[in-house]
Amino acid sequence: MRTASSLAALCAVANASSPVTRVVTLLNELKAKIEADGKGEQKIYDKFACWCEKTTARKAKDIADAKEHIEELSVEIQKRKGQLGSLTAELAQLKKDLASNKASQKEATSLRSKENAEYQQTKNEMEEAIGALEKAINALSGAGMPGAGSSLITKEAKQARIMDIAADLRGALEMAPRGIVTREQAASVRGFFANPGSFAQTAAGSKGVDSYAPASGEIVGILKDMFDTFTSNLETASATEAENLKIFEDLMAAKQKEESDLQSTLDKKEAENAEATTVEADSQQDREDTSAQLETDEVFFDETKKDCRQKADDWATRTRLRTEELAGIEKAVEILTSPEAQSAFEGATSTFVQVSEEATPAAARTRAYNALKKISRGNARLALLAARVATQTGWHFDKVIAQIDKMIVSLRKEEKEDLAAKENCDEMESKAKAKKADLQKEIDGYKNDIAKLTTNKLEAEA
């Protein structure tokens, strides 16, 4: 823009024969170009300012949400830690109670087995003793013995049977409870054990029926008392066994229900503990990831605000300079189009140069050359124009001015293309920054998901 303005001014200086109206026209064109450029740049800056406003607002919200989320996660982590501490104590107590319950069941079962074994042994012994007593009573009382006409062999068989019964009764006497048999009775029974044959003497009746000696009657009475006592004791033992079995079964039912309740509560508490552990670990990971993302967002937010503020300052400076430039042009046009200027230039129909300079065309050429040389650094076309001006002969610069006009058009076209390219670049840069921020946030989210899945995998494998 400055190059085009300098060329336009140079054209006015070099063409000494140009009228004032042409200068005013050039100034007005320059003013219109500056205003158009200003509107184009304003449009670009407005887009950039809009992007700054939306981006900073979005990031500010992200930062505020992240801080709030971190606070919520911290509260959740503390809550879960307290819950885990309580659950740990509860689980330890439940496991202790469950182990105690199982130990009680095992002990009760062992005691019941021991009691039942003792009962079975006592029952068998009592049943054997009762059977022996019953057999002895029947034998000694004559029941079941052969009657009259028995031979000598039969009598000897009876005596042998009495001896067998005496042998069976030894165990019954040893099992007899204290007090059931007196010393005298015990002595008589032991005498029977010592010489059972003496109780098998027969006496001839009027009809020849054999019978035992009267001494056997005492033994039978003793044996009947023992029989009744053993029978009663067996019934008592059986009733006690049945009662003990009922007590054991009720106790085991209560213990098994208690065990089931304890196991159910333990399973529930272990599930709660596992869930609390997972939530606490996930919250820890989420807080770390959110903190990292918050740090990234804060850096981006600060840098964006800084860049936007710098662009705003640059835009303010550029706007001020453009305003001053337009004010200068308007002042120049005002001066050139004022009645005083028109009166002063009434005689100057073909030139805008002082009369004294008409005699020194070399000075005008030198001024044009110096102006071109000053702005031709890095520009081959302007350097070529400067060379042509330096080698120009004569006063008129029609060809040079035509080339300057052509170059002004070319430069304005290039400037327009540069502005369009700049607008496109700025827009692409803004979009790229926004997309980069969004992609970074998405990447951080994926990292968070990967970390959670890895944690869950390790817990599942454990």
Side-chain angles (χ1 to χ4, degrees):
M1 185 175 67
R2 293 291 181 183
T3 302
S5 301
S6 300
L7 287 173
L10 177 62
C11 182
V13 173
N15 190 5
S17 61
S18 298
V20 175
T21 54
R22 184 175 181 184
V23 174
V24 173
T25 300
L26 289 174
L27 290 174
N28 287 330
E29 290 178 356
L30 180 59
K31 177 184 175 184
K33 181 63 171 64
I34 293 173
E35 290 176 343
D37 293 344
K39 289 180 180 179
E41 292 179 3
Q42 182 68 53
K43 184 178 179 181
I44 296 173
Y45 176 75
D46 288 343
K47 289 184 179 180
F48 177 76
C50 180
W51 176 86
C52 285
E53 182 179 356
K54 290 182 178 179
T55 302
T56 53
R58 186 180 74 251
K59 282 300 174 184
K61 184 179 183 304
D62 290 344
I63 291 171
D65 291 344
K67 289 181 178 179
E68 182 179 355
H69 188 48
I70 289 173
E71 184 64 26
E72 292 174 352
L73 289 172
S74 298
V75 172
E76 180 68 21
I77 289 170
Q78 292 300 321
K79 175 184 175 182
R80 293 299 178 178
K81 284 184 177 179
Q83 183 183 7
L84 286 172
S86 176
L87 285 171
T88 300
E90 291 181 14
L91 287 172
Q93 186 61 44
L94 284 169
K95 290 178 180 178
K96 183 178 178 181
D97 294 343
L98 191 60
S100 176
N101 177 280
K102 291 181 178 180
S104 298
Q105 291 189 60
K106 184 178 181 180
E107 182 180 359
T109 302
S110 176
L111 181 61
R112 176 86 278 274
S113 298
K114 183 178 179 181
E115 289 177 348
N116 181 259
E118 292 176 354
Y119 164 75
Q120 292 296 337
Q121 182 180 357
T122 301
K123 177 186 175 186
N124 292 335
E125 291 175 352
M126 284 186 175
E127 287 176 346
E128 290 177 4
I130 290 171
L133 288 169
E134 185 178 10
K135 186 187 298 184
I137 291 170
N138 291 333
L140 292 176
S141 62
M145 287 293 187
S150 298
S151 65
L152 179 62
I153 297 175
T154 302
K155 292 179 179 179
E156 291 176 353
K158 292 179 180 178
Q159 187 175 6
R161 183 179 180 188
I162 293 297
M163 293 181 72
D164 292 339
I165 291 172
D168 293 337
L169 288 175
R170 290 180 187 277
L173 182 62
E174 292 176 359
M175 293 179 61
R178 289 184 181 182
I180 190 174
V181 181
T182 64
R183 291 183 179 180
E184 292 77 9
Q185 291 173 334
S188 298
V189 174
R190 289 191 181 92
F192 174 70
F193 294 158
N195 189 14
S198 63
F199 292 88
Q201 298 176 359
T202 60
S206 58
K207 295 182 179 180
V209 179
D210 294 337
S211 64
Y212 287 101
S216 64
E218 181 183 1
I219 299 301
V220 171
I222 295 172
L223 294 179
K224 284 182 177 181
D225 291 339
M226 291 176 64
F227 178 84
D228 293 339
T229 301
F230 273 63
T231 303
S232 176
N233 288 348
L234 179 58
E235 292 176 353
T236 301
S238 297
T240 302
E241 169 65 14
E243 182 179 357
N244 290 339
L245 178 61
K246 179 68 167 55
I247 293 172
F248 170 75
E249 290 175 347
D250 292 343
L251 175 63
M252 290 301 293
K255 286 293 183 181
Q256 288 172 358
K257 183 179 185 305
E258 180 183 300
E259 179 187 3
S260 177
D261 293 341
L262 287 172
Q263 186 64 52
S264 177
T265 304
L266 179 63
D267 294 341
K268 180 180 178 181
K269 293 298 181 181
E270 285 180 340
E272 291 179 4
N273 186 72
E275 180 184 2
T277 301
T278 302
V279 172
E280 193 268 342
D282 291 344
S283 298
Q284 288 278 13
Q285 185 64 46
D286 193 5
R287 185 172 67 174
E288 292 177 4
D289 296 338
T290 305
S291 298
Q293 183 61 43
L294 174 62
E295 183 178 354
T296 301
D297 288 344
E298 286 178 337
V299 171
F300 178 82
F301 179 77
D302 292 338
E303 291 179 352
T304 302
K305 281 188 65 177
K306 181 180 178 181
D307 292 343
C308 291
R309 190 180 298 110
Q310 183 62 46
K311 290 286 181 66
D313 293 341
D314 294 344
W315 175 248
T317 301
R318 188 174 183 84
T319 302
R320 179 178 57 79
L321 293 175
R322 183 183 296 106
T323 302
E324 292 176 355
E325 187 176 11
L326 290 173
I329 293 175
E330 289 176 355
K331 187 64 177 177
V333 172
E334 181 183 353
I335 293 173
L336 290 175
T337 57
S338 64
E340 293 81 2
Q342 292 179 1
S343 176
F345 295 118
E346 284 180 355
T349 57
S350 61
T351 182
F352 188 60
V353 186
Q354 295 180 359
V355 176
S356 59
E357 291 185 355
E358 292 179 355
T360 56
R365 184 169 56 252
T366 300
R367 288 172 58 196
Y369 171 75
N370 291 334
L372 285 170
K373 182 179 179 182
K374 185 177 181 180
I375 63 175
S376 66
R377 294 177 181 177
N379 194 314
R381 290 181 293 177
L382 291 176
L384 180 60
L385 277 176
R388 289 186 177 181
V389 169
T391 58
Q392 179 70 31
T393 58
W395 171 250
H396 296 287
F397 295 90
D398 294 338
K399 293 182 179 180
V400 174
I401 291 173
Q403 291 182 359
I404 290 175
D405 290 339
K406 184 177 180 181
M407 188 170 292
I408 289 174
V409 173
S410 177
L411 289 172
R412 286 178 176 173
K413 180 180 179 182
E414 290 178 0
E415 183 180 14
K416 186 176 181 180
E417 292 174 352
D418 291 340
L419 286 173
K422 180 177 180 299
E423 179 181 357
N424 186 42
C425 289
D426 290 342
E427 185 176 357
M428 290 177 64
E429 181 181 4
S430 299
K431 290 182 179 179
K433 286 184 177 180
K435 186 175 182 181
K436 178 182 177 182
D438 294 337
L439 288 174
Q440 184 61 46
K441 188 172 184 178
E442 187 175 353
I443 290 171
D444 294 337
Y446 287 143
K447 288 182 179 179
N448 186 18
D449 293 340
I450 291 171
K452 289 181 179 178
L453 291 173
T454 302
T455 302
N456 294 335
K457 179 182 177 183
L458 294 175
E459 291 177 353
E461 291 176 352

